[in-house]
Amino acid sequence: MQKIEKILIGIAFSPNLKANLFEAVRMANMFDAELVGVHVGEKTPEKEQKINALLKEAEVLKKSLKTIWQEGKPVDVILETSLKENIDLLILGAIQQENLLRYYVGSIARKITRKASCSVLLLIKPSIERVTCKHIIVNGLHDKKTEETIKTSIFFSKKLSCKKLTIVEEISQAELHVKVSDDKTLRKSTIVKERIKSREDFRVKNIIREVNCEGIDIKTQSIFGKRGYSIGHYARVKRADLLVMNAPTKMGIFDRIFPHDIEYILSELPTDVLIVK
């Protein structure tokens, strides 16, 4: 993710087509990447004309758009195209909140996110006019994928000219091993929390020590609670413009019934979300 050469945008003729396409064009130019568009459905002169008309209104692409037309199941077509075209970043429009039925069945964006071989950017608030990215939040949990995710968030911060980055260390309440029942146990719990926070801050600072973070105000924040849910809530409260998360290691039906980590984010997106593969 230190270099993005090809970006894929799913082209659906929905009310958000113009905004999604404009966002993808801007992103491709920022990363100096080739933009590939895939439409799942029949190729018609009317559809081609509409895409070309929108491109004339958007920023001029540094590299021309490659459009792929293919019939089939949307999830399968987009996943197969991502592999065939060696895509580095897949951009998808997403529904901000799913009802219970759609949560268990899974929308197209959620299904693709779970199976994609590349990083995925979910857009819940695409804009025709550029909205400046002012604050990025990234997970800093203790995981083997976190170092790459943090480095990717810094890479994105620079490309998007974002000056503020917060690394959030989600800590499970189970780590405290202290049941608060009186003043004594409350003090003990506070001491244990401070020790855990210091440990996590030290771990994160070691990750970014050798990364060029010039021009970015980086802060760390420890929060106690359920992984995924807590950082999603924090991103919403802080009105972050982008939340960067590790990709899930494995997700099956058990994870869908008893959600954790990324499932909390996918079921109710707090903002635009980048999932780093």
Side-chain angles (χ1 to χ4, degrees), residues 36-73:
V36 179
V38 59
H39 173 67
V40 183
E42 184 184 3
K43 180 180 180 180
T44 67
E46 292 78 17
K47 289 178 180 178
E48 278 192 291
Q49 185 179 6
K50 186 168 184 178
I51 291 174
N52 290 332
L54 289 175
L55 286 174
K56 288 179 181 178
E57 294 182 49
E59 288 181 17
V60 177
L61 271 168
K62 294 180 182 178
K63 300 179 180 179
S64 59
L65 172 70
K66 177 180 180 180
T67 309
I68 295 171
W69 307 81
Q70 187 173 329
E71 296 190 43
K73 294 180 179 179

Coordinates of all heavy atoms in Angstrom, one line a residue, residues 36-73:
V36 N -9.7 2.2 -13.3 CA -10.5 1.1 -14.1 C -11.9 1.2 -13.5 O -12.1 1.1 -12.3 CB -9.9 -0.3 -13.9 CG1 -10.7 -1.3 -14.6 CG2 -8.4 -0.3 -14.3
G37 N -12.9 1.2 -14.4 CA -14.3 1.2 -14.1 C -14.9 -0.1 -14.5 O -14.6 -0.5 -15.7
V38 N -15.7 -0.8 -13.7 CA -16.3 -2.0 -14.1 C -17.8 -1.8 -13.9 O -18.3 -1.4 -12.8 CB -15.8 -3.2 -13.3 CG1 -16.0 -3.1 -11.8 CG2 -16.5 -4.5 -13.8
H39 N -18.6 -2.1 -15.0 CA -20.1 -2.1 -14.9 C -20.6 -3.5 -15.1 O -20.3 -4.2 -16.1 CB -20.7 -1.2 -15.9 CG -22.2 -1.3 -15.9 ND1 -23.0 -0.8 -14.9 CD2 -23.0 -1.8 -16.9 CE1 -24.2 -1.1 -15.2 NE2 -24.3 -1.6 -16.4
V40 N -21.3 -4.0 -14.1 CA -21.9 -5.3 -14.2 C -23.3 -5.2 -14.9 O -24.3 -4.7 -14.3 CB -22.1 -5.9 -12.8 CG1 -22.6 -7.4 -12.9 CG2 -20.8 -5.9 -12.0
G41 N -23.3 -5.5 -16.2 CA -24.5 -5.4 -16.9 C -24.2 -5.2 -18.4 O -23.0 -5.2 -18.8
E42 N -25.2 -5.0 -19.2 CA -25.1 -4.9 -20.6 C -24.5 -3.5 -21.0 O -24.7 -2.5 -20.4 CB -26.5 -5.0 -21.3 CG -26.5 -5.0 -22.8 CD -27.9 -5.0 -23.3 OE1 -28.9 -5.0 -22.5 OE2 -28.0 -5.0 -24.6
K43 N -23.6 -3.6 -22.0 CA -23.0 -2.4 -22.5 C -24.0 -1.8 -23.6 O -24.4 -2.5 -24.5 CB -21.7 -2.7 -23.2 CG -21.0 -1.4 -23.8 CD -19.7 -1.8 -24.4 CE -18.9 -0.7 -25.0 NZ -17.6 -1.0 -25.6
T44 N -24.4 -0.5 -23.4 CA -25.3 0.2 -24.3 C -24.7 1.5 -24.7 O -24.0 2.1 -23.9 CB -26.7 0.3 -23.7 OG1 -26.6 1.3 -22.6 CG2 -27.2 -1.0 -23.2
P45 N -25.1 2.1 -25.8 CA -24.6 3.4 -26.2 C -25.1 4.5 -25.2 O -24.3 5.4 -25.0 CB -25.3 3.6 -27.6 CG -25.5 2.3 -28.1 CD -25.8 1.4 -26.9
E46 N -26.2 4.3 -24.6 CA -26.8 5.3 -23.7 C -25.9 5.3 -22.4 O -25.6 6.4 -21.9 CB -28.2 4.9 -23.3 CG -29.2 5.1 -24.4 CD -29.2 4.0 -25.4 OE1 -28.6 2.9 -25.1 OE2 -29.8 4.2 -26.5
K47 N -25.5 4.1 -21.9 CA -24.6 4.1 -20.8 C -23.3 4.7 -21.0 O -22.7 5.4 -20.2 CB -24.5 2.6 -20.3 CG -25.8 2.0 -19.7 CD -25.5 0.6 -19.3 CE -26.8 -0.1 -18.7 NZ -26.6 -1.5 -18.3
E48 N -22.7 4.3 -22.2 CA -21.4 4.9 -22.6 C -21.4 6.4 -22.7 O -20.5 7.1 -22.2 CB -20.9 4.3 -23.9 CG -20.3 2.9 -23.8 CD -19.6 2.6 -25.2 OE1 -20.4 2.3 -26.1 OE2 -18.4 2.5 -25.2
Q49 N -22.5 6.9 -23.2 CA -22.7 8.3 -23.4 C -22.8 9.0 -22.1 O -22.2 10.1 -21.9 CB -23.9 8.6 -24.2 CG -24.1 10.1 -24.6 CD -25.4 10.3 -25.4 OE1 -26.1 9.4 -25.7 NE2 -25.5 11.5 -25.9
K50 N -23.5 8.4 -21.1 CA -23.6 9.0 -19.8 C -22.3 9.0 -19.1 O -21.9 10.1 -18.4 CB -24.6 8.2 -18.9 CG -24.9 8.8 -17.6 CD -26.1 8.2 -16.9 CE -26.5 9.0 -15.6 NZ -27.7 8.4 -15.0
I51 N -21.5 8.0 -19.1 CA -20.2 7.9 -18.4 C -19.3 9.0 -19.1 O -18.6 9.7 -18.4 CB -19.5 6.5 -18.5 CG1 -20.3 5.6 -17.7 CG2 -18.1 6.6 -18.1 CD1 -19.9 4.1 -17.8
N52 N -19.2 9.1 -20.4 CA -18.4 10.0 -21.1 C -18.8 11.5 -20.8 O -17.9 12.4 -20.6 CB -18.4 9.8 -22.6 CG -17.7 8.5 -23.0 OD1 -16.8 8.1 -22.3 ND2 -18.2 7.9 -24.1
A53 N -20.1 11.7 -20.6 CA -20.6 13.0 -20.3 C -20.1 13.4 -18.9 O -19.7 14.6 -18.6 CB -22.1 13.1 -20.4
L54 N -20.2 12.5 -18.0 CA -19.8 12.8 -16.6 C -18.3 13.0 -16.5 O -17.8 13.9 -15.8 CB -20.2 11.6 -15.7 CG -21.7 11.4 -15.4 CD1 -21.9 10.2 -14.6 CD2 -22.2 12.6 -14.6
L55 N -17.5 12.2 -17.3 CA -16.0 12.4 -17.3 C -15.6 13.8 -17.8 O -14.6 14.4 -17.3 CB -15.4 11.3 -18.1 CG -15.3 9.9 -17.5 CD1 -14.8 8.9 -18.5 CD2 -14.4 9.9 -16.2
K56 N -16.4 14.3 -18.7 CA -16.1 15.7 -19.2 C -16.3 16.8 -18.1 O -15.7 17.8 -18.1 CB -17.0 16.0 -20.4 CG -16.6 15.2 -21.7 CD -17.5 15.5 -22.8 CE -17.0 14.7 -24.1 NZ -18.0 15.0 -25.2
E57 N -17.2 16.5 -17.2 CA -17.5 17.4 -16.1 C -16.5 17.3 -14.9 O -16.3 18.2 -14.2 CB -18.9 17.2 -15.5 CG -20.0 17.5 -16.4 CD -21.4 17.2 -15.8 OE1 -21.6 17.7 -14.6 OE2 -22.2 16.5 -16.4
A58 N -15.9 16.1 -14.8 CA -14.9 15.8 -13.7 C -13.5 16.4 -14.0 O -13.3 17.0 -15.1 CB -14.8 14.3 -13.5
E59 N -12.6 16.3 -13.0 CA -11.2 16.6 -13.3 C -10.7 15.8 -14.5 O -11.2 14.7 -14.7 CB -10.4 16.3 -12.0 CG -10.6 17.1 -10.8 CD -9.6 16.7 -9.7 OE1 -8.7 16.0 -10.0 OE2 -9.9 17.1 -8.5
V60 N -9.7 16.4 -15.1 CA -9.1 15.7 -16.2 C -8.2 14.6 -15.6 O -7.3 14.9 -14.8 CB -8.3 16.6 -17.1 CG1 -7.6 15.8 -18.2 CG2 -9.1 17.7 -17.7
L61 N -8.5 13.4 -16.1 CA -7.7 12.3 -15.6 C -6.3 12.3 -16.1 O -6.1 12.5 -17.3 CB -8.3 10.9 -16.0 CG -9.4 10.3 -15.0 CD1 -10.1 9.2 -15.7 CD2 -8.7 9.8 -13.7
K62 N -5.3 12.1 -15.2 CA -3.9 12.0 -15.7 C -3.7 10.8 -16.6 O -2.9 10.9 -17.5 CB -3.0 12.0 -14.5 CG -2.9 13.2 -13.6 CD -2.0 13.0 -12.4 CE -2.0 14.3 -11.5 NZ -1.1 14.1 -10.3
K63 N -4.4 9.7 -16.2 CA -4.3 8.5 -17.1 C -5.7 8.1 -17.4 O -6.6 8.2 -16.6 CB -3.7 7.4 -16.3 CG -2.2 7.7 -15.8 CD -1.6 6.6 -15.1 CE -0.2 6.9 -14.6 NZ 0.5 5.9 -13.8
S64 N -6.0 7.8 -18.7 CA -7.3 7.6 -19.2 C -8.1 6.4 -18.5 O -7.4 5.5 -18.0 CB -7.3 7.3 -20.7 OG -6.5 6.2 -21.0
L65 N -9.4 6.5 -18.4 CA -10.2 5.5 -17.8 C -10.3 4.3 -18.7 O -10.6 4.4 -19.8 CB -11.6 6.1 -17.5 CG -12.7 5.1 -17.0 CD1 -12.3 4.7 -15.6 CD2 -14.1 5.7 -17.0
K66 N -10.1 3.1 -18.0 CA -10.4 1.9 -18.7 C -11.7 1.3 -18.2 O -11.9 1.1 -17.0 CB -9.3 0.9 -18.4 CG -9.5 -0.5 -19.0 CD -8.4 -1.5 -18.7 CE -8.6 -2.8 -19.3 NZ -7.5 -3.8 -19.0
T67 N -12.7 1.2 -19.1 CA -14.0 0.7 -18.7 C -14.2 -0.7 -19.1 O -14.0 -1.1 -20.3 CB -15.1 1.6 -19.3 OG1 -14.8 2.9 -19.0 CG2 -16.5 1.2 -18.7
I68 N -14.7 -1.6 -18.2 CA -14.9 -3.0 -18.4 C -16.4 -3.2 -18.3 O -17.0 -2.8 -17.2 CB -14.1 -3.9 -17.4 CG1 -12.6 -3.7 -17.7 CG2 -14.6 -5.3 -17.6 CD1 -11.8 -4.4 -16.7
W69 N -17.0 -3.9 -19.3 CA -18.5 -4.2 -19.2 C -18.6 -5.7 -19.1 O -18.1 -6.4 -20.0 CB -19.2 -3.7 -20.5 CG -18.9 -2.2 -20.7 CD1 -17.8 -1.7 -21.3 CD2 -19.8 -1.1 -20.4 NE1 -18.0 -0.3 -21.4 CE2 -19.2 0.0 -20.8 CE3 -21.1 -1.1 -19.8 CZ2 -19.8 1.3 -20.7 CZ3 -21.7 0.2 -19.6 CH2 -21.0 1.3 -20.1
Q70 N -19.3 -6.2 -18.1 CA -19.4 -7.6 -18.0 C -20.7 -8.0 -17.3 O -21.0 -7.4 -16.3 CB -18.2 -8.2 -17.2 CG -18.2 -9.7 -17.2 CD -16.9 -10.3 -16.6 OE1 -15.8 -9.6 -16.7 NE2 -17.0 -11.4 -15.9
E71 N -21.4 -9.0 -17.8 CA -22.6 -9.4 -17.2 C -22.3 -10.6 -16.2 O -21.3 -11.3 -16.4 CB -23.6 -9.9 -18.3 CG -24.1 -8.7 -19.2 CD -25.2 -9.1 -20.1 OE1 -26.2 -9.8 -19.6 OE2 -25.2 -8.8 -21.3
G72 N -23.1 -10.7 -15.2 CA -22.9 -11.7 -14.2 C -23.4 -11.2 -12.8 O -24.1 -10.2 -12.7
K73 N -23.0 -11.9 -11.8 CA -23.3 -11.5 -10.5 C -22.3 -10.4 -10.0 O -21.1 -10.6 -10.2 CB -23.2 -12.7 -9.5 CG -24.2 -13.8 -9.8 CD -24.1 -15.0 -8.8 CE -25.1 -16.0 -9.1 NZ -25.0 -17.2 -8.1

